[in-house]
Amino acid sequence: MSKHNCYICDKETSLLMSFGQMPIANGFLAKEQFKDEYFFEMEVAFCQQCKMFQLVNQPEREQMFNESYAFFSGTSKAMGLHFEKFANHILSDYIKDTKDPFVVEVGSNDGSMLKHFANRGIRHLGIEPSANVAQVAIDNGINTVVEFLDKSLAERIVSEYGMADAYVAANVMCHIPYINSVVEGIKALLNPDGIAMFEDPYLGDVIQKTTYDQIYDEHTFLFSVYSIQYLFNQFDMEVINVEPQVTHGGSMRYVIAHKGAKPVHKNVYKQLEYEQVSGLTDFETYEKFRQNCGKYQSDLMSLLDDIKSQGKSIAGYAATSKSTTIINYCSITTDHLDCIYDTTPIKQGKFSPGAHIPVVAYEEFKNNYPDYALLFGYNHEKEIMAKEQEFMDQGGRWITYVPEVKVI
Ligand code: DWN
């Protein structure tokens, strides 16, 4: 295990476990690319000083986010509604009375959130380093720059557009190892009474449900309220509210302001107390988590091996980024899964990272129902089940592993 200093506070971290050699989670590839596939050792660590849960090593950012990025925010209807509600919340609760507000979103992807501001004629700017997804937003008239955010870009934005009234991000902040520079950027960007609002998978949910599949190359961090408060306090900013979300298996939305600019809501203190009582700030909790990961791995593999020994077929459903961790950590192979059905055109016809399981257009699912479907997109369970009622009517069964390994 490697020695690693914390990305936030620079103290030496406590190493927790290795998930073994991992490929790029969204690195869906063609056969001729197999021989050059990139792997890194995916180790995680916990900082006992600032309580940040973090990856030890990460591929270069351009290896993950580039012109062939495979995740488009607009692929889920439920997430589309979630972003609409998020935008409306900002509009009605934070910038309603602001004259000519300016909204900046980092990691704006295909514009699924910013379009709700753009459509109302609100000044906005998306920052998105993956050129292909950014192009979808640009084609829809959403003002977007194809860049990575850091302090120097924030300063350029201020000089070109002025300061922002709202800084927004969804499932982005936890992807940025040089987050100190980004927070310095937010500080420079935000008006004295502006707010930053962002949401990411919540460490509390990951630990409670053992959703270790939230750990993959793109997720440098799994945040808690404690660690976010520490991060922003370093730059004289503070968490003024927290709003738990059900998305992505359990997420947390953080509302941040310049220190002293706005009252701190009691939710912040309540959540901090919960984190202390539930042991999120203690290293021992993570030792237990490591054991739980091993148990989930062996429970899932026993189930898959048992089903295969009965001569039944299994297919994966939704080639999520998270599935890359499950597949490679558990050593799921093409002996277990015939293929993975998915809605994203750029993934279809390619092979899954690492295990090279074929990815097939989801429209084909109904023509080849397997006996069992392994639900990698458990966070979209409602949406998927509604779409695939016929599979169940015809006797198909789902395998899930959240909150426990079971057949439903
Ligand atoms: O942080 C991140 C989150 C927000 O999104 C990223 N780093 C990348 C991505 O993670 P993910 O791939 O695990 O996200 P989802 O939304 O759980 O999965 C998306 C995948 O699921 C897409 O490939 C499309 C697929 N899907 C499907 O095949 N059928 C999704 C739905 C809703 C469906 O009905």
Side-chain angles (χ1 to χ4, degrees):
M1 291 264 242
S2 327
K3 185 168 143 38
H4 168 69
N5 281 12
C6 178
Y7 291 108
I8 310 303
C9 67
D10 204 34
K11 289 277 172 320
E12 187 173 345
T13 57
S14 304
L15 289 163
L16 209 52
M17 68 182 286
S18 170
F19 287 87
Q21 291 294 308
M22 283 285 157
I24 302 286
N26 270 303
F28 293 85
L29 65 183
K31 250 192 193 135
E32 56 278 14
Q33 295 171 309
F34 288 178
K35 59 179 183 349
D36 299 323
E37 190 170 12
Y38 175 86
F39 288 87
F40 72 107
E41 182 168 5
M42 195 169 82
E43 295 172 296
V44 286
F46 180 68
C47 177
Q48 306 218 31
Q49 164 86 13
C50 68
K51 317 294 183 197
M52 189 65 89
F53 185 102
Q54 55 201 276
L55 285 181
V56 171
N57 320 300
Q58 221 182 359
E60 292 299 317
R61 61 189 187 181
E62 291 80 6
Q63 287 175 280
M64 301 181 282
F65 308 109
N66 48 45
E67 65 295 338
S68 34
Y69 189 53
F71 177 73
F72 291 72
S73 301
T75 48
S76 156
K77 280 198 188 121
M79 286 308 292
L81 277 174
H82 174 78
F83 290 132
E84 185 176 354
K85 276 196 201 152
F86 190 170
N88 287 341
H89 179 33
I90 296 169
L91 280 163
S92 54
D93 297 327
Y94 289 100
I95 57 172
K96 189 171 55 134
D97 300 324
T98 309
K99 199 168 163 269
D100 189 23
F102 176 42
V103 177
V104 173
E105 184 184 3
V106 66
S108 46
N109 200 282
D110 56 12
S112 288
M113 169 119 73
L114 268 190
K115 71 178 179 197
H116 300 291
F117 297 97
N119 291 346
R120 289 174 166 96
I122 290 173
R123 282 194 308 129
H124 63 277
L125 178 68
I127 302 166
E128 173 51 63
S130 300
N132 60 332
V133 292
Q135 195 56 48
V136 177
I138 293 165
D139 291 345
N140 286 321
I142 294 157
N143 192 23
T144 306
V145 289
V146 182
E147 284 191 59
F148 287 99
L149 176 64
D150 57 14
K151 190 177 174 217
S152 76
L153 176 60
E155 286 167 353
R156 267 193 285 141
I157 294 171
V158 173
S159 66
E160 201 172 319
Y161 297 85
M163 292 175 105
D165 302 289
Y167 167 97
V168 190
N171 304 300
V172 172
M173 295 290 279
C174 75
H175 294 63
I176 310 176
Y178 47 95
I179 195 162
N180 280 339
S181 165
V182 168
V183 175
E184 271 191 281
I186 296 172
K187 179 145 183 81
L189 191 62
L190 266 193
N191 258 326
D193 65 346
I195 49 110
M197 262 177 117
F198 62 89
E199 60 187 38
D200 285 284
Y202 180 53
L203 179 64
D205 287 292
V206 172
I207 298 302
Q208 195 206 340
K209 301 172 199 163
T210 319
T211 41
Y212 64 86
D213 57 347
Q214 283 295 359
I215 302 167
Y216 53 89
D217 56 358
E218 295 178 16
H219 287 178
T220 321
F221 304 112
L222 287 174
F223 296 146
S224 60
V225 179
Y226 189 103
S227 60
I228 286 298
Q229 189 188 48
Y230 189 105
L231 167 64
F232 280 87
N233 277 343
Q234 296 181 120
F235 301 96
D236 217 21
M237 300 187 82
E238 63 187 345
V239 182
I240 58 157
N241 205 350
V242 290
E243 301 170 356
Q245 306 294 315
V246 293
T247 49
H248 292 288
S251 299
M252 188 61 76
R253 183 179 292 162
Y254 306 88
V255 189
I256 314 277
H258 293 288
K259 201 167 249 167
K262 293 186 190 288
V264 177
H265 196 281
K266 64 178 184 314
N267 290 349
V268 177
Y269 303 110
K270 266 169 69 184
Q271 201 65 32
L272 284 168
E273 195 184 330
Y274 162 80
E275 290 182 355
Q276 200 179 9
V277 172
S278 64
L280 272 196
T281 47
D282 302 331
F283 185 63
E284 297 69 53
T285 301
Y286 301 93
E287 288 179 333
K288 177 95 177 67
F289 172 70
R290 178 180 56 213
Q291 291 161 20
N292 288 344
C293 291
K295 180 179 168 344
Y296 271 62
Q297 176 196 41
S298 65
D299 285 357
L300 180 59
M301 292 320 287
S302 305
L303 177 64
L304 297 186
D305 288 337
D306 183 42
I307 292 172
K308 289 311 288 180
S309 72
Q310 298 166 33
K312 307 272 193 203
S313 59
I314 315 175
Y317 197 104
T320 59
S321 321
K322 299 179 288 292
S323 71
T324 297
T325 297
I326 298 286
I327 290 171
N328 291 284
Y329 173 61
C330 296
S331 304
I332 296 174
T333 69
T334 46
D335 290 340
H336 302 101
L337 300 188
D338 299 335
C339 64
I340 308 172
Y341 291 100
D342 192 276
T343 51
T344 313
I346 196 175
K347 297 181 184 176
Q348 298 163 358
K350 293 200 176 138
F351 294 84
S352 75
H356 304 161
I357 300 166
V359 180
V360 175
Y362 92 102
E363 290 88 348
E364 288 298 312
F365 185 57
K366 62 178 177 312
N367 303 325
N368 300 288
Y369 283 148
D371 297 307
Y372 292 83
L374 176 53
L375 186 57
F376 289 126
Y378 58 85
N379 47 315
H380 300 296
E381 181 175 329
K382 254 198 194 152
E383 186 171 345
I384 291 173
M385 297 278 176
K387 205 160 40 182
E388 302 297 358
Q389 183 59 44
E390 200 186 314
F391 168 59
M392 293 174 278
D393 293 345
Q394 295 198 11
R397 310 284 305 271
W398 293 98
I399 301 168
T400 187
Y401 43 85
V402 176
E404 59 186 323
V405 174
K406 64 177 181 199
V407 172
I408 44 176

